[in-house]
Amino acid sequence: MDAPVGAPTGGGGAAGAALPERSRAGTNGTDPAVSRLAATVVRLRRQVEQAQFDADGRSVIELAKGVLVERLHCAPAEAARQLEDLAAETDLPVLQLAAEIINQAARDQVAEVTKAFLAQASGGRSCDDPEENSGTTVATRLRTAESGVLAAADTQAVADSLLTHALRPLDAVSVAVWAVAPDGSMSLAGAAGFRADEAARWHYVPPGVTTPASKALLERQPVWLPSFAETGLPSVGRHDTPDGGRVAIPTGTGGRLTGVLEICWPGSPPPRSPQIERQLEALAQLCAHTLETRPAAGLPGPALSDSAYRDLTELIDLVDGLHDPALVLRPQIDADGHLIDFRIHHANPRFVDPVGRPRSSVTGALLLEAYPLAAGQSGLFDKVERVYATGEPFRADDTLLTTLVDQVPLTSPADISISRHSDSVLLIWRVKDQADRLASLLQHAQRLGRVGGFEENLATGEITWNDQMFALFGLRPTAVPIPLTQLPAHAHADDETGIGRFLRTLLHQRRSASTAFRLKRPDGITRHLRVVAEPVLDGTGHVLLVRGAYQDISAQHWTEVALAATRDQLAHTEEQAAENNRLTLKLQRAIMPPTRGPIDAAGLRVAVRYRPAEDDHLVGGDWYDAVVLPSGRVLLCVGDVAGHGIEAATGMVVLRNALRGLATTGAGPGQLLRWLNLVAHHLTDYVTGTAVCGLYDPGTRTLEWARAGHLPPVLVRDGRATALPLIGGMLLGGPPDSQYEEGRLTLEADDVLLLYTDGLVERRDTSMGDTLDRLLVTAGQPAPSLEDRLDHLLTHSDADTDDDTCLIGIHLPPS
């Protein structure tokens, strides 16, 4: 009997290629016994591989004999003689003839591939090597590979058989068989032609990592990569063949993808043609039966295994306990193994058919037969099919159920959830307006509040009004609802601008909007209405429908007219308040200019930034000071008086001037804050605030500092920003006997010290600890100068309290 096509003439795999090197090494001075042993191992390996080839070839021949026994109604011995006689008459090897006989009997995918190659050859477009690429040789390779795959114990043996019998003749050097998990991750189920350590490194690929195999799985079609250099996608063996190409082919049964076959070449893959593609797809399908324990089947169909039946029973029990309508779908497979539909295996007690059919009549029906529009614009069937194929769940809000049933005008949006459980698909939806009792309560609330609700479908032009809407517009319940775009024609001419702005915001900017206008009703009555609406977007971001409400605010309007006189009386008081705000702002800006410096003070460079609140009525009591004292030391301080307005500004002036005078006594910063606390008690009207006070000694470069409830200073040293320790100290205006701890810091050359108020960092939605961390990151960034650093801090401040901000920067230049 002829040996199978593609039988090796040398050692196969990485190990077989390595042993001859040792034998050759023996001729260069190594131990002759080791060389002889290596040669023996190589010879025995070849014998084992040849025996495997012969076994695979014999299985093909035996299968052909079985076909002849069935067709000729003869004994096995007679079938063997007939096969030998036919081979002699056709001048074909017995193995090739056996593959042809199987093709004629099976008429499966392998037979179709062979037929395509023969048709190509008969048309005069044969490949460059007819001996290697003729249809009969292709059939022999595929049938031999099929025999080896069916006899393989695991996916690793499948990969070895595919590479040996079918892919090496196509110049491929390695093959990987990936198993796909429901979460999208992949594991290397079998690999041939790679180094063992390389295969071990790629035993698992997490979900979301883009590789040739995951790309083929996501696109659900073969992916051809002429060269790794063109794509840069990582995969097993990439460094072994950096200039090589790859083909990744998804595989599965019954529409469910269970794995990917990835084939590697040292250079570019064979020229892409329908014949080559079909041959590789046939090889990929050979991997499917080892990647899945049981093919997917529809119901009715083959009986389930015990474990599958138990999983399905548990899923049904789970579905029956849900409070939302749910369907359990099972795949329906045709005779060729293709997914054609999904059968509704079970509907839970919450299920209500949109057209009123009983639950028993829907159970057992095919999805597309029960709900034909599931394959329409909604794409529901495609989503179910994709979830079943990939295992990736699908969820979406506000999906219109009108697409589920033909000729049933359901416009209520629903939340959809689709997930795969073993061989079943679970479809759950929640219709948002099914609660009849809540709808009744809402109707009464709308009537009492003179509120009417509406929903307008922009795609179909359908408009839904409740009864209260017709009453607001003075129309009969049988009248045609008025579209939003025609609203200006029913409103007062002076309100057209506001309505136009409302429509642009809603329909073009796709944001919720509201406006008030005067409605001219058909009965001649003018009513003041307010409309509030929001857009509902589809998956592409376009406006699908608009829903909202109108409210009659006529009573409110006339109440506002009655209050107009009161507003006039308050105008004088408001002018006085505005004048107070202007005076406060002038006082603060006279004492605290927005920018000062940089100035040199006893070897220090000091720069100041002050940013007042954006709103004039929020003028606060932030203050700072930097002055050289008669003792030669430098006073550095910053503070914040609670509150806003003229009281906060005058309190700030008292504390700032008091601290300047007290600092001339030569006392330390802790004592100065104790005295300043007494000033807040006795010389002001209940002023409270925070402060940081520092005294810098130029001779020792030492800074002594204390804090009264204030944020700690920040030190920038060697490009890294850190906050000084949070030493103890009550805020100013606290108990008269409050004590204030002191800290000490020796400045080094090129150090920068930052003093600031909470207006630089404070946010309403973030803790102070998190905002300080952000400040340290920003402060640590390099800056050309001290002023640039302060400007950068103000620019990148994300504070949102609209409070005053004081910022002092102290820089000790290098000597």
Side-chain angles (χ1 to χ4, degrees), residues 290-536:
T290 62
L291 294 173
E292 187 171 4
T293 57
R294 184 177 185 87
L299 292 179
L304 296 172
S305 65
D306 292 341
S307 61
Y309 180 81
R310 184 169 56 253
D311 293 342
L312 183 59
T313 302
E314 292 177 354
L315 177 60
I316 292 174
D317 292 339
L318 172 65
V319 168
D320 285 345
L322 297 177
H323 290 284
D324 297 317
L327 297 177
V328 176
L329 308 177
R330 296 279 296 168
Q332 184 71 13
I333 312 302
D334 62 11
D336 296 330
H338 298 136
L339 176 68
I340 57 174
D341 203 345
F342 289 87
R343 190 173 298 277
I344 302 175
H345 178 70
H346 179 74
N348 71 346
R350 296 282 183 173
F351 173 80
V352 178
D353 185 70
V355 292
R357 291 172 295 187
R359 187 161 60 103
S360 58
S361 66
V362 176
T363 304
L366 294 177
L367 180 63
L368 291 181
E369 291 178 357
Y371 304 108
L373 287 185
Q377 295 180 353
S378 70
L380 179 63
F381 183 85
D382 292 338
K383 295 178 178 65
V384 173
E385 183 182 26
R386 182 177 183 85
V387 169
Y388 178 75
T390 64
E392 181 180 358
F394 172 83
R395 291 178 178 84
D397 297 336
D398 296 322
T399 299
L400 292 181
L401 290 180
T402 48
T403 56
L404 289 176
V405 182
D406 193 9
Q407 299 177 352
V408 178
L410 297 177
T411 58
S412 299
D415 298 338
I416 298 293
S417 173
I418 309 173
S419 57
R420 189 180 76 188
H421 301 266
S422 186
D423 283 340
S424 303
V425 176
L426 177 60
L427 172 60
I428 307 173
W429 67 91
R430 175 178 295 173
V431 180
K432 295 184 176 180
D433 59 350
Q434 283 185 335
D436 297 335
R437 182 170 178 270
L438 292 178
S440 177
L441 293 176
L442 178 61
Q443 183 177 5
H444 290 299
Q446 290 177 342
R447 177 179 55 83
L448 295 173
R450 303 185 62 82
V451 176
F454 71 93
E455 184 176 272
E456 182 172 340
N457 191 317
L458 301 185
T460 63
E462 181 183 3
I463 303 175
T464 302
W465 278 13
N466 64 0
D467 295 340
Q468 189 63 28
M469 280 289 297
F470 292 96
L472 290 179
F473 276 75
L475 299 175
R476 294 178 178 272
T478 57
V480 178
I482 299 173
L484 284 173
T485 54
Q486 296 182 15
L487 195 58
H490 298 268
H492 194 281
D494 294 342
D495 297 331
E496 291 184 2
T497 301
I499 295 176
R501 186 162 47 244
F502 162 77
L503 294 176
R504 286 193 299 273
T505 303
L506 183 67
L507 302 179
H508 298 288
Q509 300 177 14
R510 300 188 291 276
R511 292 188 290 111
S512 299
S514 65
T515 189
F517 65 97
R518 285 163 287 181
L519 174 69
K520 297 186 298 183
R521 302 198 330 178
D523 54 10
I525 298 175
T526 299
R527 305 295 295 179
H528 292 260
L529 300 184
R530 174 173 293 278
V531 56
V532 181
E534 64 176 3
V536 177

Side-chain angles (χ1 to χ4, degrees), residues 721-742:
T722 58
L724 297 187
L726 200 65
I727 59 179
M730 289 287 294
L731 56 81
L732 301 175
D737 57 349
S738 297
Q739 300 296 314
Y740 298 89
E741 299 179 7
E742 292 187 352

